[in-house]
Amino acid sequence: MIVTNGSVGALQAWGWDSAWATALAGISAEDRFVARVIAQHRGLWLVAAESGETSATLTGRFRHEALDGDLPAVGDWVACVNSPHDGAARIDAVLPRRSVFRRRAAGPRVAAQIVAANVDTLFVATSLNGDLNPRRLERYVAMGRESGAEPVVLLTKADLVDDPDAPVERLESELRVPVVALSSRTGAGVEAVARWFEPGRTIALVGSSGVGKSTLLNRLAGEELMVTREIREDDARGRHTTTHRELFRLASGALMLDTPGMREFGLWDANEGVDETFAEIVELVSRCRFADCSHRLEPGCAVQAAVTAGRLDAGRVKSYRRLAHELAEQPSPADRREKERRFHKAVRNASADSMARKSYRG
Ligand SMILES: Nc1nc2c(ncn2[C@@H]2O[C@H](COP(=O)(O)OP(=O)(O)OP(=O)(O)O)[C@@H](O)[C@H]2O)c(=O)[nH]1
Ligand SMILES: [Mg+2]
Ligand SMILES: [Zn+2]
């Protein structure tokens, strides 16, 4: 199964374009074929190739050399080989990503988790009844910007509130991203998201559990691609209906990636994303009297002055301080890469050692 530039129709349906072909040419070897990762289940990747969908594992070489962040994620374009042993597909390389949406992995370990790769537009979903929390939206939007995708906020379950459009304008001006209120139940507002549905464009749905991500996907697809479940509103937090990420093709030609609701959503390397999301505050910070102003009680603080004058929401200032602090606590990306490389090398040496010992004994 060798893909040439002349026969990529099936791949185009998954978003393949000439820029990807150029990227592939940079790494390609004769017997490789290209595919897109459309789902992932533990050590197994479901990939869509020109000849159809197939499950794939990793080649030994790639597993050996790849650092955590290099492993394939849903949305990735990968180069595969067919195993000489059983003919099954093995992923041998990941094409350089156009965008990558990460979060800090849950738990005490300082590590990133890739939520989705090569996303063009990120739909950040939050429900109008109960879940609407500007602080959480700021977090998602900052990470969305950092990822290289275009964030769009969807306010779901518009049928459950009296005035669904009320928060739209304020959120648009604060976050400076498009905001759409819609209901997957009645269909109100759903046509407004259609402007992002271009053939080959990848759109990912992210947000808390129970906000209606899968319900929207199903409505757009006109069939039940993902299972959804009734929730009692007071019970919404703990339930996770979707448990894996999967990329689907819509009739419009757009690709939509549904993800499980995230309970914890830690920032990861998001300095620029945070600064862009709080641009009005960053602008004021440059006018504080002291360079190390914490924007709390210092004299000459331009941020506090704006709050006092009613020109800036104190909640946003608090949120900005919290996110900036969270990022400052993390080791720098360069430090982390170095640490991971050293760890990786130690593991490799240890396994080479044990192999050498085995062959010596044997
Ligand atoms: N009233 C109303 N209910 C909705 C709407 N959209 C979704 N729901 C309901 O909300 C519940 C959760 O919907 P899901 O689509 O499963 O939510 P999800 O975001 O995919 O949740 P996870 O997969 O756990 O992340 C279901 O009972 C849906 O019927 C809507 O527009 N209006
Ligand atoms: Mg779901
Ligand atoms: Zn200040």
Side-chain angles (χ1 to χ4, degrees):
M1 192 160 43
I2 299 167
V3 173
T4 61
N5 282 345
S7 57
V8 289
L11 292 177
Q12 261 157 18
W14 287 104
W16 185 254
D17 58 30
S18 57
W20 285 119
T22 307
L24 179 69
I27 63 161
S28 190
E30 280 279 285
D31 54 349
R32 283 175 169 179
F33 65 94
V34 73
R36 190 162 197 196
V37 177
I38 57 175
Q40 184 190 353
H41 303 274
R42 297 190 173 272
L44 208 59
W45 287 263
L46 180 66
V47 301
E50 195 204 6
S51 60
E53 294 171 20
T54 178
S55 63
T57 53
L58 307 179
T59 60
R61 185 199 66 81
F62 184 55
R63 193 180 319 113
H64 196 66
E65 289 176 7
L67 300 178
D68 274 359
D70 306 328
L71 291 177
V74 176
D76 265 328
W77 285 100
V78 291
C80 305
V81 293
N82 284 318
S83 161
H85 305 294
D86 54 8
R90 303 258 195 280
I91 297 170
D92 194 42
V94 174
L95 269 61
R97 293 165 178 141
R98 279 184 199 169
S99 73
V100 51
F101 185 69
R102 291 189 179 89
R103 65 162 171 173
R104 181 173 171 170
R109 199 173 147 233
V110 182
Q113 183 189 32
I114 296 182
V115 176
N118 302 320
V119 171
D120 299 302
T121 303
L122 188 78
F123 281 179
V124 177
T126 186
S127 73
L128 279 156
N129 67 322
D131 186 64
L132 184 53
N133 175 343
R135 305 290 87 87
R136 185 166 42 231
L137 283 177
E138 284 157 356
R139 203 172 261 277
Y140 273 104
V141 167
M143 285 307 283
R145 284 202 165 101
E146 190 75 26
S147 76
E150 172 202 17
V152 173
V153 169
L154 304 187
L155 306 176
T156 63
K157 308 197 187 183
D159 55 292
L160 296 179
V161 295
D162 290 335
D163 188 3
D165 291 318
V168 169
E169 219 171 288
R170 189 174 63 90
L171 288 172
E172 275 191 339
S173 79
E174 280 188 358
L175 301 168
R176 287 169 305 109
V177 298
V179 178
V180 176
L182 56 83
S183 165
S184 299
R185 188 149 292 175
T186 66
V190 171
E191 77 287 347
V193 298
R195 67 181 144 127
W196 285 282
F197 297 162
E198 274 170 33
R201 185 196 285 250
T202 302
I203 300 158
L205 280 163
V206 297
S208 305
S209 187
V211 299
K213 299 181 292 299
S214 302
T215 308
L216 177 63
L217 168 79
N218 292 343
R219 173 155 195 132
L220 292 168
E223 61 177 305
E224 195 179 36
L225 295 176
M226 277 285 198
V227 173
T228 63
R229 192 166 57 185
E230 281 309 316
I231 46 163
R232 291 206 321 271
E233 290 305 333
D234 59 339
D235 199 13
R237 279 296 121 75
R239 302 275 211 96
H240 288 259
T241 304
T242 303
T243 53
H244 73 287
R245 308 183 189 111
E246 187 164 346
L247 188 65
F248 297 96
R249 288 188 302 189
L250 300 179
S252 56
L255 303 154
M256 190 163 263
L257 203 170
D258 192 14
T259 67
M262 289 187 249
R263 203 169 315 169
E264 272 181 75
F265 186 68
L267 293 182
W268 189 260
D269 285 353
N271 285 312
E272 279 171 37
V274 167
D275 282 358
E276 277 175 49
T277 304
F278 295 91
E280 86 279 27
I281 300 181
V282 171
E283 211 272 314
L284 289 167
V285 164
S286 64
R287 289 194 257 141
C288 292
R289 185 180 305 161
F290 301 110
D292 61 349
C293 184
S294 72
H295 322 302
R296 264 180 287 225
L297 301 162
E298 287 90 341
C301 174
V303 176
Q304 280 307 330
V307 172
T308 309
R311 279 182 283 117
L312 183 61
D313 174 25
R316 265 176 77 72
V317 177
K318 214 169 147 192
S319 179
Y320 171 70
R321 266 208 312 259
R322 181 178 307 141
L323 299 187
H325 180 73
E326 191 175 316
L327 287 171
E329 297 262 274
Q330 291 175 10
S332 81
D335 284 357
R336 274 196 322 261
R337 263 194 302 277
E338 181 50 34
K339 208 169 153 195
E340 198 188 347
R341 229 171 255 134
R342 275 206 304 269
F343 173 74
H344 214 72
K345 206 171 152 193
V347 170
R348 253 192 320 244
N349 289 344
S351 66
D353 265 11
S354 83
M355 296 245 281
R357 246 176 282 131
K358 264 184 212 140
S359 57
Y360 174 74
R361 273 195 227 112

